[in-house]
């Protein structure tokens, strides 16, 4: 699915909502609500009024990493974006160039064997592309102190050119984020959950809405390449699988908070259609042809109309709903990207 949509530059959210005015909190963003071809305009604080007792929100607990680190290859400055830790200890990385404005631009990963010097005595050697799609992401072997320590000491959150300035890592953590024991996490924030506050979660629970935590560690995206997601590590715990099945049996709606939660849940569905505890890697790309077997609704950010994102939305909501939703978001001048407004799709 493709949409002839151009997002005006002024609709990119340049700073988090809480920095746009006094007294604003994360839940002050706007929320477009789609039910089929019908759209309505709300604020995120109204979410408890749009859900009902017995509904289930599936949330991603992956913490965001300070995944961007300055380095050097020869005499050239580079920025390394750490994406995903492999089972063998290597990391999938993207090499980018500083653009002089505090952000980066695309740079070819280069041939295997290229050495990159990083702070703290850490060295990185590229060993070849992650897949046959191209050389944007490469497997890299890291020498010296471990990557989690490197990111804590010398990393910063990945930032794209539409943002105004660097933000602290706390601005990229959701209320559901839990640090993992091995120091891995998401290269980019699972941003659909960013508007939740502890107060709003409490109100939802008091109204009978339940939460099912899952984990999916997101890899890096690229502002220049609209690619389907690479394989990512995920886990659906036993308690969450049972909650999802109980919700389905009781007639409640399973609403995924973010496309990452959709990938995790749909990757844990067995041949019989039931969700069971599952952990590992997923390369699932949800399309209208594949469909969704568990997820009824989706809360998602407003992002550039990338193919994989649109296909997932169409699989859940249908093509007409997606087209009408994007049209309404542009007409209503909703803000795009990770610090922007959100879109709730309900059956």
């Amino acid at each position: 699915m493709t949409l002839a949509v151009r997002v005006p530059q002024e609709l990119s959210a340049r700073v988090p909502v809480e920095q746009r005015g006094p007294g604003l909190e994360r839940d002050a963003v706007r929320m477009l609500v789609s039910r089929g071809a019908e759209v309505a305009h709300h604020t995120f604080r109204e979410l408890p009024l749009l859900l009902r007792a017995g509904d289930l929100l599936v949330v991603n607990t992956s913490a965001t990493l300070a995944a961007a680190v300055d380095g050097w290859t020869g005499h050239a400055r580079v920025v390394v974006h750490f994406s995903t830790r492999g089972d063998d200890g290597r990391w999938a990385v993207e090499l980018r160039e500083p653009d002089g404005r505090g952000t980066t631009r695309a740079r070819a990963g280069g041939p295997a064997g290229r050495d990159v010097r990083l702070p703290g005595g850490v060295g990185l050697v590229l060993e070849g592309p992650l897949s046959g799609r191209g050389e944007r992401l490469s497997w890299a072997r890291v020498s010296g102190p471990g990557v989690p320590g490197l990111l804590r000491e010398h990393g910063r959150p990945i930032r794209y050119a539409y943002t105004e300035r660097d933000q602290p890592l706390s601005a990229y953590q959701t209320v559901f984020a839990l640090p993992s024991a091995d120091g891995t996490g998401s290269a980019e924030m699972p941003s659909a959950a960013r508007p939740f506050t502890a107060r709003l979660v409490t109100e939802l629970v008091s109204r009978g809405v339940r939460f099912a935590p899952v984990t999916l560690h997101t890899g890096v995206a690229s502002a220049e390449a609209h690619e389907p997601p690479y394989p990512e590590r995920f886990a659906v715990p036993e308690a969450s699988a049972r909650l999802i099945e109980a919700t389905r049996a009781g007639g409640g709606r399973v609403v995924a908070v973010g496309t990452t939660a959709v990938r995790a849940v749909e990757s844990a569905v067995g041949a019989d259609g039931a969700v069971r505890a599952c952990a590992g890697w997923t390369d699932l790309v949800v399309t209208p042809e594949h469909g969704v077997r568990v997820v009824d609704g989706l809360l998602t950010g407003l992002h550039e109309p990338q193919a994989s994102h649109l296909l997932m939305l169409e699989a859940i909501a249908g093509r007409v709903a997606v087209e009408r939703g994007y049209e309404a978001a542009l007409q209503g001048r909703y803000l795009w990207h990770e610090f922007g407004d959100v879109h709730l799709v309900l059956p």
Side-chain angles (χ1 to χ4, degrees), residues 13-330:
R14 297 175 60 79
V15 296
V17 63
E18 60 270 25
Q19 297 177 17
R20 294 179 208 146
L24 295 178
E25 296 185 40
R26 289 185 176 207
D27 58 7
V29 297
R30 300 167 69 198
M31 181 169 63
L32 181 73
V33 180
S34 293
R35 291 185 177 89
E38 297 182 3
V39 296
H41 302 279
H42 294 267
T43 66
F44 190 74
R45 288 175 180 164
E46 296 175 285
L47 180 63
L49 304 178
L50 298 167
L51 300 177
R52 53 183 182 244
D55 285 344
L56 181 70
L57 291 171
V58 181
V59 297
N60 187 359
T61 63
S62 180
T64 307
L65 301 174
V69 181
D70 292 323
W72 299 264
T73 176
H75 297 292
R77 281 191 60 205
V78 295
V79 178
V80 180
H81 287 177
F82 284 85
S83 179
T84 307
R85 182 184 181 275
D87 291 333
D88 59 1
R90 295 184 301 170
W91 280 76
V93 303
E94 180 182 14
L95 258 61
R96 295 178 68 86
E97 295 179 350
D99 63 2
R101 300 189 301 271
T103 51
T104 62
R105 56 176 168 253
R107 171 194 175 101
R114 173 171 288 177
D115 295 325
V116 181
R117 303 189 311 280
L118 299 172
V122 176
L124 182 149
V125 178
L126 301 183
E127 295 189 341
L130 187 65
S131 77
R133 296 183 199 162
E135 292 190 341
R136 187 175 70 84
L137 287 181
S138 299
W139 282 116
R141 186 78 59 182
V142 181
S143 62
V147 171
L150 170 73
L151 301 186
R152 285 193 300 270
E153 291 293 322
H154 302 286
R156 62 186 179 276
I158 290 174
R159 175 188 157 206
Y160 290 112
Y162 50 76
T163 56
E164 185 174 289
R165 56 181 177 269
D166 284 346
Q167 296 288 341
L169 184 59
S170 59
Y172 291 87
Q173 303 294 8
T174 74
V175 72
F176 306 110
L178 295 172
S180 62
D182 62 0
T184 56
S186 286
E188 298 186 351
M189 172 176 53
S191 56
R194 192 182 190 279
F196 283 90
T197 62
R199 179 186 60 194
L200 190 67
V201 170
T202 301
E203 182 178 353
L204 286 162
V205 171
S206 73
R207 290 173 174 265
V209 176
R210 295 177 292 183
F211 289 81
V214 299
T215 301
L216 186 137
H217 296 317
T218 65
V220 297
S222 172
E224 301 83 20
H226 296 329
E227 304 166 319
Y230 286 88
E232 293 168 325
R233 194 188 301 271
F234 82 103
V236 176
E238 177 68 32
S240 294
R242 290 182 179 180
L243 263 176
I244 292 168
E245 287 302 299
T247 300
R248 299 172 73 193
R253 297 174 293 184
V254 177
V255 180
V257 178
T259 58
T260 60
V262 177
R263 279 191 99 197
V265 168
E266 295 292 331
S267 297
V269 181
D272 60 355
V275 177
R276 294 182 177 84
C278 189
W281 293 86
T282 179
D283 59 0
L284 175 66
V285 178
V286 176
T287 66
E289 292 73 28
H290 180 279
V292 288
R293 293 187 283 175
V294 173
V295 171
D296 301 306
L298 172 65
L299 176 71
T300 182
L302 292 164
H303 302 286
E304 298 287 355
Q306 301 177 14
S308 61
H309 185 78
L310 288 175
L311 289 172
M312 180 181 288
L313 281 175
E314 186 180 353
I316 295 170
R319 187 183 184 100
V320 172
V322 176
E323 292 175 342
R324 180 70 186 97
Y326 268 77
E327 176 186 325
L330 286 170

